[in-house]
Amino acid sequence: MARTRAAAAGVRGWADGTFANPVIAGLHPDPSVCRVGGDYYLACSSFEYFPGVPLFHSRDLVHWEQIGNVLDRPGQLDLPVTTPASAGVYAPTLRQHNGRFWLIVTNVADGGGTLICTASDPAGPWSDPVWVPGLAGIDPDLAWGDDGTCWCTYAGIEQVRIDPWTGQTLGRPRRLWSGAPGAQAPEAPHLYQVGGYWYLLIAEGGTERGHAVSIARATAPDGPYEPCPANPILTHRGTNKPIQNTGHADLVEAVDGSWWMVLLGVRPGGGTPAWHVLGRETLLAPVTWIDGWPVVSEVAPVMAAPSWTARPVPVPPSRDDFDDDRLHPRWASVRSRPADSWSLAERPGWLTLRARGASLDAPDITFVGRRQQHLSCRVRTLIDPTGGCGGLAVRLDERHHYEIEAGDGQVRVVARIGSVLSMVATRPVAAGPVRLRVEALDSSREDWYPSKGPDVLRFGVEQADGRVVVLAELDGRYLSTEVAGGFTGRVIGMYAASGTVHFDWLDYEPREHGTGSDRAGETIVAP
Ligand code: 6LW
């Protein structure tokens, strides 16, 4: 059972042996994991954000700390302004082989392609990319055979031998397997040698509600592959489980010989068709082997034996004071972060942002944000807009964002929903620094009705006397993947729309559900 096995494997969650999913919340999809001794490393997709490929470390598979990003230098990742939202960097495979860490990933952008980076320490630095021009597919995987042959397997599902040092493909690609007959999008392959078999793990059914994980095995890495009779070995399609779209998985053997799956899933909210707003998140599930096939235990918000009860993941409030001389690796910018667009030194203790694009609609907006990781949370910042204008934005993409902006003696809330742009509210403010805030208020505790949205985004200004002036409450469904399309989720961050603006700190605070209790101790002045 999950509890016993979790303890035995060194997988430490709650004191009673349970752990909470997602293990990495927010926009962290397509997880790929590997273990070296008692250390686990995990990489995931980053799309149009820079730096690319967030890299996490864990000692127990449950608690993950971001230790870097694989593509954190402009020389490794140069996403031009023509890169559409949800293009860019996706679906890495992270492996350790002969004492080196290898990461292969696709950059779906002009001038991109499949690339390989290596490192002796996964915290970095990672090498400059070696390009793989001979590979015409996404979701590449690397696996080494006993004879040293390196196999690259990718969506389709196809495979080609490769020299990972040069990126040269060797020979012609071969089709290995296409998953269930008629199923869409066989993708996300990972290849493992376990016992006497090679196992080919794939995702199929598309990364939406039909998503699933299937597996096949062979006695040689290049097949022929025999599908598991129990396929799909994991799917939540057609169920009422709170986590949906489960798929795109990777397997890892823990220190004690137990096996675990990391995978992606979403938490849709509201009525029908239900909207997920945080993107695809990383989950963990225990795996047992029965008759030479992996059997995955259920994926639930909280894993336990014998029953599951929902419990929130405890994350302490986090404030970034911008007092260090470098940004924490969690901070993400849109496409690029040119050196002259930001500084931690220009005004010590503050993050300075200098405008490029004139609004969040622009592909080159100067933006520094972090993933929204909790269905309910509060984000606050102190901005000095004296030299320009800027603010706090909730971003899905260029065509779906809400923001509260300060500048020119005013604070305003702006909503961009597709082709509609609206100035929702304005309010005069005194010159000098202003405290802006946005709260996400999950609606799941409220009465269900068919058209109910997933959450409300409330924008406000904090006054010197402690009162909060709420300027707007906006329906969160329009900043969801189901509305915006694509592969990402919300990122909340600071931006500059004109001139130069400075941010003293940013607080990200997980909150309890509901719209009532979070008002305690504050006076809310309606717009
Ligand atoms: C990725 C594909 C997928 O390449 O979504 O869920 C795509 N799976 O495997 C983008 O993340």
Side-chain angles (χ1 to χ4, degrees), residues 181-316:
Q184 63 162 307
E187 59 189 8
H190 290 302
L191 201 58
Y192 321 87
Q193 194 174 18
V194 184
Y197 286 107
W198 284 84
Y199 287 88
L200 174 59
L201 185 76
I202 70 163
E204 57 183 334
T207 192
E208 300 81 24
R209 296 291 191 271
H211 217 193
V213 180
S214 291
I215 198 161
R217 71 184 182 192
T219 51
D222 53 346
Y225 278 90
E226 162 207 1
C228 174
N231 280 337
I233 59 170
L234 175 76
T235 186
H236 282 188
R237 62 170 74 126
T239 69
N240 61 5
K241 297 179 197 307
I243 295 180
Q244 289 288 319
N245 304 23
T246 48
H248 200 123
D250 199 3
L251 293 171
V252 65
E253 184 179 11
V255 190
D256 68 340
S258 65
W259 283 78
W260 298 83
M261 174 180 277
V262 293
L263 68 154
L264 68 76
V266 307
R267 293 182 279 170
T272 181
W275 298 266
H276 75 274
V277 301
L278 302 187
R280 299 169 301 160
E281 311 179 87
T282 287
L283 316 168
L284 179 70
V287 172
T288 48
W289 290 84
I290 298 177
D291 297 333
W293 293 108
V295 177
V296 193
S297 289
E298 261 307 337
V299 179
V302 171
M303 289 274 198
S307 64
W308 294 325
T309 32
R311 265 201 266 185
V313 190
V315 178

Side-chain angles (χ1 to χ4, degrees), residues 128-178:
D128 284 337
V130 166
W131 295 94
V132 189
L135 206 107
I138 58 168
D139 300 359
D141 173 83
L142 292 179
W144 284 262
D146 295 330
D147 61 356
T149 302
C150 183
W151 299 95
C152 180
T153 313
Y154 52 96
I157 303 290
E158 296 191 351
Q159 186 185 64
V160 66
R161 283 185 300 127
I162 188 173
D163 177 345
W165 292 102
T166 64
Q168 279 297 312
T169 48
L170 311 168
R172 297 180 46 185
R174 286 184 52 240
R175 172 69 49 105
L176 284 190
W177 184 43
S178 297

Side-chain angles (χ1 to χ4, degrees), residues 110-128:
D110 290 343
T114 302
L115 63 99
I116 297 173
C117 292
T118 68
S120 51
D121 179 349
W126 285 80
S127 71
D128 284 337

Side-chain angles (χ1 to χ4, degrees), residues 41 68 70 78 98 146 170 174 194 208 213 216 233 240 252 313 321 324-326 343 375 396 443 454 483-485:
Y41 299 97
V70 173
D78 178 18
N98 281 349
D146 295 330
L170 311 168
R174 286 184 52 240
V194 184
E208 300 81 24
V213 180
I233 59 170
N240 61 5
V252 65
V313 190
D321 269 317
D324 292 344
D325 56 7
R326 38 165 287 181
S343 171
L375 297 172
L396 211 301
S443 70
V483 168

